[in-house]
Amino acid sequence: MKRRNFVKYAGGTAAAAGLAGCTGGGDDGGGDTTTDGTTTTGGGGDSGSRPVQWIAPAWAGRSEITTKYNDVTGIDLEITTATNSTTQQRVLSGGRSTLDAFTTDSANAGAITSDNDASYAIPTADLPKWSSEKMADLFTDPGETLSFLGEQTETYNDLMWEDEEQTELRFPPTICNFDAMGSNPKYVDDVSKWGALFDDQYEGQVAINGASATTIPETLMYLLDNDMVEGDVGSLNNPTEQQIDTTVDFLVDQKSSGQFRSTWTAYGTSVNLMSSEEAVIGDIWQPACLDVRRSGTPCEYATMSEGIQGYRYWYAGIAPLKPGAQDRNNMAEVQSLINDVHWSAWFPGYIQNWGYSVPHYTNTDLVRDGSDDTGEGMGPEYYDWAYEGAATYDSVENPALFDPQSYEWSMEEGEPADDGCVRDSGPIEERINRIGFFQIWPDNATHMLERWQEFKSA
């Protein structure tokens, strides 16, 4: 372990939370491929340590996944629920010997996967559902898909791939999202730029995230777009000390002048602020927007503009831990958790209930219309609503209160209703084209955290 990197990331992810591949386990290879693209547990099978141990944040490690994993493999899976910062601290302070796999988001994964060599890469050959035909270009070719982000795509590839030939995945993706703003339509007109958080008309009614790794990028996009900071899009997700200083100074002024109703770091706090209407606009997460609706308060999630002030994009993944996954004879079991459960027919519809998208959504034969050992795909109505921007088949009286978990989605082809509900933020291809920022943990994290204390105490 590199102590300097551990300190850098462990301290950094505490703030962000408010936000050599091995080909098999034990004596066998990475598992055998079946005709339907699933992976058998040839690497460990009954001889591996049980249950399989997975550490993950609550938004990724859900109990239904453990049930589905057991249904598919016959093997028990145990989840240790932890924040991003706790996950890193646990893994890098010895937990990687007793744990098989970890999940975190792209802002936090590098500490484990590259800076401290605490995980194994997985050859794509051992993940039969990974291919350019089955995965979105956003993941297989981000350099081309996100060419408008310039050098930001290099950080994307560095996080995802172990080798330049792209034969081994360092951090295999499982879910992704496009973070924007939630707003109450009773008080806020349509918003599409981060500058709305600093609009005088919402003074004292703004909920702002209290994590530097979230709020600084959002504000940087606004400042750069308005020529208030020097820089370019390509280096936006790895800001200089001067850019950080300018951004924090601006946020301190905004906070001191009373622009923000409150900062939030806990997910529930963001929901409560919007549900109670103490705040009418905020940089909340899309799952929080849906929970605000479930409380009875209308909430819309922004469709961000093209150009610099776009979505703050991130992805989450799963990787086997070193040496735990191999020593415990569970390399193939971790691969199965990725390939057979997260890249399955069942998972996309399940996780879309909270607003998250999946990397294999382009595999419509499976995700939209198909089935596998996990169950059925999303079906035409839910898939077209979630990914194509189509309206629901049934009328929806108040779209700002629409809840995808309580709606009865048709599994048969139908016609979108003229007064049906469309998904907030629009079709996924439009969201991809409007990404402004790919979330990583920056090189100047120490300086960012030091300056961030001034914002917190302002």
Side-chain angles (χ1 to χ4, degrees):
M1 186 193 307
K2 301 173 186 175
R3 175 172 174 77
R4 183 172 66 179
N5 285 328
F6 170 71
V7 173
K8 166 189 168 183
Y9 278 91
T13 51
L19 111 245
C22 177
T23 58
D27 297 329
D28 297 303
D32 299 322
T33 304
T34 64
T35 56
D36 64 353
T38 57
T39 305
T40 66
T41 54
D46 293 336
S47 63
S49 299
R50 298 292 177 262
V52 174
Q53 296 291 335
W54 178 30
I55 186 168
W59 46 264
R62 299 175 184 268
S63 60
E64 291 86 351
I65 298 175
T66 65
T67 301
K68 190 65 64 173
Y69 182 80
N70 180 265
D71 290 343
V72 172
T73 66
I75 297 171
D76 290 334
L77 172 68
E78 183 174 278
I79 302 175
T80 298
T81 302
T83 63
N84 287 324
S85 57
T86 303
T87 296
Q88 287 190 353
Q89 291 163 7
R90 172 82 179 271
V91 167
L92 297 178
S93 61
R96 58 193 174 116
S97 297
T98 57
L99 296 164
D100 298 301
F102 84 97
T103 287
T104 186
D105 62 20
S106 55
N108 300 278
I112 297 172
T113 61
S114 55
D115 278 57
N116 288 292
D117 192 29
S119 65
Y120 296 107
I122 302 178
T124 55
D126 292 340
L127 298 169
K129 287 184 178 177
W130 178 274
S131 72
S132 58
E133 293 78 28
K134 297 176 181 178
M135 294 288 167
D137 292 343
L138 177 62
F139 297 91
T140 59
D141 192 7
E144 177 66 25
T145 306
L146 302 176
S147 59
F148 52 88
L149 292 184
E151 294 176 10
Q152 289 196 51
T153 61
E154 296 179 13
T155 64
Y156 200 137
N157 283 323
D158 287 344
L159 180 67
M160 183 175 295
W161 295 103
E162 181 75 8
D163 58 333
E164 292 185 3
E165 295 75 22
Q166 298 188 353
T167 64
E168 292 184 310
L169 283 162
R170 175 179 286 165
F171 191 49
T174 51
I175 63 174
C176 66
N177 215 351
F178 307 80
D179 287 348
M181 296 170 289
S183 62
N184 189 325
K186 294 194 295 183
Y187 309 103
V188 178
D189 294 330
D190 289 341
V191 293
S192 62
K193 294 186 176 182
W194 295 106
L197 298 173
F198 316 116
D199 193 320
D200 291 344
Q201 66 178 312
Y202 307 125
E203 181 178 346
Q205 298 176 292
V206 178
I208 196 81
N209 194 297
S212 59
T214 297
T215 305
I216 285 180
E218 296 165 355
T219 309
L220 256 176
M221 282 187 271
Y222 163 71
L223 296 177
L224 184 60
D225 196 31
N226 288 275
D227 298 321
M228 299 166 67
V229 66
E230 294 184 2
D232 60 75
V233 170
S235 59
L236 197 64
N237 66 346
N238 199 18
T240 65
E241 289 190 3
Q242 183 176 358
Q243 289 173 326
I244 291 170
D245 290 341
T246 301
T247 304
V248 173
D249 289 343
F250 173 82
L251 286 166
V252 168
D253 288 343
Q254 290 285 308
K255 185 178 181 183
S256 300
S257 66
Q259 180 68 16
F260 308 133
R261 171 63 183 87
S262 180
T263 56
W264 66 272
T265 52
Y267 173 90
T269 302
S270 70
V271 175
N272 291 336
L273 285 167
M274 296 293 293
S275 298
S276 65
E277 299 188 348
E278 290 182 61
V280 300
I281 186 172
D283 58 346
I284 65 174
W285 301 331
Q286 193 157 39
C289 175
L290 295 175
D291 277 338
V292 172
R293 293 181 180 182
R294 293 174 188 125
S295 75
T297 301
C299 192
E300 294 178 343
Y301 211 63
T303 298
M304 300 301 285
S305 69
E306 294 179 325
I308 295 173
Q309 293 194 59
Y311 294 99
R312 182 173 55 81
Y313 166 74
W314 56 270
Y315 86 83
I318 298 174
L321 285 166
K322 183 189 293 185
Q326 185 174 20
D327 287 355
R328 290 167 47 80
N329 206 19
N330 282 329
M331 281 293 294
E333 283 68 22
V334 176
Q335 294 168 12
S336 182
L337 177 62
I338 300 167
N339 189 80
D340 304 334
V341 177
H342 284 82
W343 296 348
S344 70
W346 162 81
F347 184 72
Y350 168 73
I351 204 65
Q352 182 62 227
N353 286 333
W354 291 273
Y356 298 120
S357 299
V358 296
H360 63 303
Y361 72 87
T362 53
N363 186 5
T364 54
D365 288 345
L366 178 69
V367 175
R368 183 186 191 270
D369 305 315
S371 64
D372 57 17
D373 289 344
T374 63
E376 291 186 287
M378 299 175 72
E381 184 183 18
Y382 199 10
Y383 181 92
D384 292 353
W385 177 87
Y387 288 104
E388 301 295 339
T392 56
Y393 295 172
D394 293 337
S395 301
V396 174
E397 182 176 352
N398 190 346
L401 290 173
F402 179 75
D403 179 8
Q405 289 191 32
S406 60
Y407 182 82
E408 293 187 12
W409 298 98
S410 174
M411 297 301 289
E412 304 294 332
E413 295 282 357
E415 289 294 326
D418 291 339
D419 54 354
C421 177
V422 295
R423 187 192 189 280
D424 288 342
S425 301
I428 192 167
E429 295 303 324
E430 182 178 286
R431 282 172 267 157
I432 292 171
N433 290 335
R434 298 185 178 196
I435 293 173
F437 186 96
F438 173 58
Q439 188 83 44
I440 63 168
W441 193 249
D443 291 338
N444 289 317
T446 300
H447 182 73
M448 182 175 70
L449 292 174
E450 290 173 351
R451 287 302 318 275
W452 194 244
Q453 295 304 313
E454 298 177 36
F455 174 78
K456 292 173 67 176
S457 62

